[in-house]
Each structure stands twice: as structure tokens, then as C-alpha cells.
């Protein structure tokens, strides 16, 4: 039955685990297949065409695993590739974008800061998001090169992420930002450090609960939710260095996992040819 099929979740690396853990908590009967494209991370500074090819290759791999839906647990890949993926693949594809709408709805100072990758903030999709929701508050956009890479290497609180955040946060705080939007799925793993540096009065918004809700809605509408008797479970794949990635992923999830190697493939050529 299609309801028993797994859900695919992917990211440029380990950051999408912040989305996976939320899906795990909210949809506990579902089976999840996660791909960390750590061998090609970061996506934040790569050409959109490269990200689209990787996203298509990973989606093809997930379809070979029999998935019923795909969650693009990466703001950068969503901005670069989701329209194209939806045109190519006929299953529900759920993306993620910076939580601008809830941020402008809840800010008290009227000033919102957005932390994201360079590619996300330069994308048309992000410009469109600001056009739709950004006018009700002052929005300060801060690209954060290097920050996702810290999480990719399991550095959640050491000197490197601290030095980067000490560069990225003060200009926002000086302008009375009271709400910070985490516009990259790696950043929730840095939340404790960000909160410490920003102070207790700054709210930090992570969009993964909204993604899990949207996934549930899409599965419900399509009649694809796993039935209540299913036990769930996860499989994890990576294109990165297996030992280091395994160590970092187990640490981020807070339990040991088994990690499989993502087979080398033809980078979405099938999908491109079908275009
Ligand atoms: N986790 C990704 C995002 O949500 C991108 C990190 C990167 O590869 O630069 O944007």
C-alpha cells in the first residue's frame, strides 16, 4: 500500500536533521529516508544549476527507495530547485523557506533579522517572500557564510561559530532586532549559542514545525498518511566522509545511527533529459 511507503528528506548535509527530528516527533508512524549530501556541502555558495542537478539526483535516488513524498529540508535547495523538481516529479514535494510571515506577525520592536545562506538571500524566491510579507516590519537580511559549515563539522559552540556569530549578530542587534529567523536548516543546532549571544529577549524562529504540519496536510489530502499501526523507522545515507558524517549526525540526533553510502550516480541526467 502506498501509505506504507517512506518519506524522503534531504539537505546539503546534516542540517536537515533539524527538520527530520520534528517530522519524527509529529508523524511517528512514518518511515523516513534521509540523504545528507555532505560530499557536496555547502550549497550556500554553489551555482543554482549545480544545486538543481544534485537535488534531482537525490530525488531520483529517493524514488528508487520507493518514497511517497519528498521534503527538501534545505532553504537553499528549495530556492534554487523546488519549482523544477515539482515539474519533473509527480509526488508531493514539500520545501522550506525562512519564516518571514510569522516573524513580522510577532515582532514587538518591528525589526526582524534573517540569517540565511548567500544563495537563499540572493534568490528570486526570497525576493518574492519579502514582497509578500516583508512590508509589515523592517527586515534586516544577514547572509552567514561559514556558519552551516561549522554545524557540518559538529562545531556547535566552539571558537569558529562564536567568531562568525560575533560578526553577524551585532549589526542586527544594534538596530533593535527582537526576532531572528533561522533561514538555514543547519542553524537550529546553533540556537543555544545564538540565544546566548543575542540575549534572552530575542525570539528565535525555526520553520521546521511548519514544514512538519505542511507535510501532514499534503499526505492527508493525498490519502497517504501511514496508518496508526505502523512502527516508523529511519534510514540514513550520505555522499560525505562516512565516519565523520556518522559521528556528527549521531551527535546532532542524540542517539547512534547506522549510515549508508549514497551510491554515485549521474546527477539528475535522466530528469534533465526528460525535460
Ligand atoms: N541547510 C541548508 C539551508 O537550509 C544550506 C546549507 C549550505 O549547504 O550552505 O539553506
Amino acid at each position: 500500500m502506498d501509505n506504507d511507503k517512506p518519506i524522503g528528506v534531504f539537505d546539503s548535509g546534516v542540517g536537515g536533521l533539524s527538520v527530520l527530528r520534528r517530522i519524527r516527533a509529529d508523524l511517528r508512524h512514518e518511515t523516513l529516508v534521509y540523504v545528507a549530501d555532505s560530499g557536496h556541502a555547502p550549497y550556500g555558495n554553489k551555482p543554482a544549476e549545480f544545486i538543481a542537478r544534485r537535488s534531482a539526483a537525490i530525488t531520483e535516488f529517493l524514488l528508487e527507495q520507493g518514497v511517497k513524498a519528498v521534503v527538501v529540508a534545505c532553504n537553499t535547495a528549495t530556492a534554487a530547485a523546488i519549482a523544477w523538481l515539482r515539474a519533473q516529479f509527480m509526488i508531493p514535494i514539500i520545501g522550506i523557506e525562512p519564516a518571514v510571515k510569522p516573524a513580522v506577525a510577532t515582532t514587538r520592536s518591528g525589526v526582524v533579522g534573517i540569517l540565511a545562506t548567500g544563495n537563499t538571500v540572493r534568490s528570486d524566491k526570497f525576493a518574492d517572500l519579502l514582497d509578500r510579507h516583508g512590508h509589515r516590519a523592517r527586515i534586516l537580511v544577514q547572509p552567514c557564510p561559514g556558519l552551516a559549515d561549522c554545524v557540518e563539522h559538529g562545531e556547535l559552540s566552539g571558537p569558529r561559530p562564536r567568531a562568525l556569530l560575533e560578526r553577524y549578530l551585532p549589526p542586527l542587534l544594534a538596530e533593535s532586532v527582537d526576532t531572528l529567523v533561522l533561514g538555514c536548516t543547519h542553524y537550529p543546532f546553533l540556537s543555544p549559542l545564538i540565544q546566548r549571544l543575542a540575549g534572552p529577549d530575542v525570539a528565535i524562529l525555526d520553520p521546521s514545525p511548519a514544514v512538519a504540519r505542511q507535510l501532514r496536510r499534503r499526505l492527508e489530502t493525498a490519502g497517504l498518511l501511514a496508518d496508526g499501526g505502523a512502527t516508523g523507522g529511519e534510514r540514513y545515507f550520505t555522499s560525505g566522509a562516512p565516519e565523520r558524517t556518522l559521528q556528527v549526525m549521531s551527535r546532532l540526533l542524540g542517539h547512534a545511527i547506522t549510515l549508508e553510502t549514497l551510491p554515485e550516480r549521474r546527477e539528475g541526467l535522466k530528469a534533465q533529459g526528460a525535460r
Side-chain angles (χ1 to χ4, degrees):
M1 253 175 32
D2 281 359
N3 305 56
D4 301 339
K5 291 179 166 181
I7 297 165
V9 181
F10 80 87
D11 177 42
S12 63
V14 300
L17 293 176
S18 65
V19 179
L20 176 127
R21 68 183 175 186
R22 188 63 203 213
I23 296 173
R24 177 73 296 145
D26 291 1
L27 289 93
R28 61 200 168 87
H29 300 293
E30 301 292 342
T31 303
L32 307 175
V33 181
Y34 184 85
V35 175
D37 198 16
S38 303
H40 300 91
Y43 282 1
N45 58 2
K46 303 261 182 358
E49 201 253 327
F50 174 86
I51 300 167
R53 272 193 288 122
R54 288 303 306 159
S55 300
I58 293 166
T59 304
E60 282 178 9
F61 168 76
L62 289 168
L63 283 169
E64 285 164 15
Q65 311 310 305
V67 298
K68 61 186 175 186
V70 168
V71 177
V72 184
C74 175
N75 295 261
T76 311
T78 299
I82 200 150
W84 190 68
L85 291 177
R86 285 179 176 147
Q88 301 291 325
F89 301 102
M90 294 305 121
I91 55 167
I93 298 183
I94 290 90
I96 186 166
E97 60 185 14
V100 176
K101 192 178 171 191
V104 300
T106 53
T107 175
R108 288 153 290 125
S109 68
V111 194
V112 165
I114 301 182
L115 308 176
T117 69
N119 272 344
T120 295
V121 306
R122 284 189 297 270
S123 68
D124 291 347
K125 209 163 183 333
F126 184 68
D128 180 56
L129 184 66
L130 290 190
D131 272 355
R132 279 185 287 129
H133 305 296
H135 50 275
R136 290 200 206 103
R138 206 170 143 226
I139 310 277
L140 303 179
V141 178
Q142 177 63 61
C144 302
L147 209 52
D149 193 56
C150 295
V151 178
E152 208 51 41
H153 289 81
E155 295 172 43
L156 307 184
S157 59
R160 188 159 70 119
R162 173 176 277 273
L164 288 171
L165 286 164
E166 279 172 350
R167 183 138 49 90
Y168 299 144
L169 293 178
L172 304 177
L173 300 172
E175 297 290 330
S176 305
V177 158
D178 73 346
T179 307
L180 282 172
V181 172
L182 303 185
C184 167
T185 53
H186 283 70
Y187 302 166
F189 293 110
L190 295 166
S191 275
L193 179 59
I194 295 172
Q195 192 79 71
R196 211 158 49 241
L197 295 174
D201 297 334
V202 173
I204 297 177
L205 298 192
D206 166 12
S208 39
V211 175
R213 279 197 302 276
Q214 174 66 358
L215 172 63
R216 175 188 286 280
R217 271 195 295 271
R218 291 293 304 277
L219 293 176
E220 256 163 12
T221 309
L224 286 174
L225 263 186
D227 77 66
T231 45
E234 300 91 35
R235 280 181 80 186
Y236 298 95
F237 291 86
T238 187
S239 59
E243 256 167 56
R244 193 198 74 204
T245 313
L246 172 66
Q247 223 180 24
V248 174
M249 285 174 72
S250 300
R251 179 162 163 229
L252 296 181
L253 287 168
H255 57 83
I257 60 164
T258 303
L259 186 58
E260 300 171 61
T261 299
L262 185 72
E264 274 299 322
R265 50 192 299 120
R266 59 228 171 268
E267 296 222 330
L269 290 180
K270 201 163 81 189
Q272 280 196 325
R275 233 179 148 184

